[in-house]
Amino acid sequence: MLVIGLLLAASAAQAGGPWRASEENTRGWQLMTPQERIDHQARIRSFRTLEECRAYQQEHHPLMEQRARQRGVALPSGRRDICEHLKRPDAVGE
């Protein structure tokens, strides 16, 4: 089990983003289709700069707010900033 955990951690570090997007770190997770969740996670992992990540958030958050309004549900905020890891000076090119 320890080996698997270390491999997952190494994989996440190489991906440059969270190894698993979830409702804890994704605004509107419950309003996304399974395919959208997969695409979202892949996109988050592809960012190399804070600017790229913030630009995506500027698109994603209003879309999730719109869906929440249409469905008449409250949109909980994510508990973790998915762009936070890109604030480190050594984050680019990981």
Side-chain angles (χ1 to χ4, degrees):
M1 278 300 195
L2 179 59
V3 173
I4 293 171
L6 291 173
L7 288 173
L8 287 173
S11 174
Q14 289 176 355
W19 71 272
R20 181 177 176 268
S22 70
E23 67 183 301
E24 264 89 58
N25 62 13
T26 302
R27 189 152 197 230
W29 181 262
Q30 71 280 15
L31 302 171
M32 297 166 71
T33 67
Q35 185 60 52
E36 285 175 322
R37 292 173 183 166
I38 292 167
D39 295 344
H40 172 78
Q41 181 168 291
R43 190 148 181 212
I44 295 300
R45 287 181 174 175
S46 75
F47 298 136
R48 297 292 175 242
T49 67
L50 181 61
E51 291 76 23
E52 288 176 309
C53 191
R54 293 291 184 225
Y56 174 69
Q57 284 181 321
Q58 293 294 318
E59 296 171 15
H60 179 75
H61 289 182
L63 177 61
M64 294 301 108
E65 290 166 1
Q66 178 185 16
R67 287 184 186 180
R69 277 192 309 273
Q70 288 172 340
R71 296 177 188 181
V73 298
L75 182 63
S77 63
R79 294 186 198 133
R80 178 176 170 220
D81 180 357
I82 59 172
C83 299
E84 185 69 31
H85 68 284
L86 293 168
K87 289 182 180 178
R88 298 188 328 249
D90 62 336
V92 176
E94 285 185 343

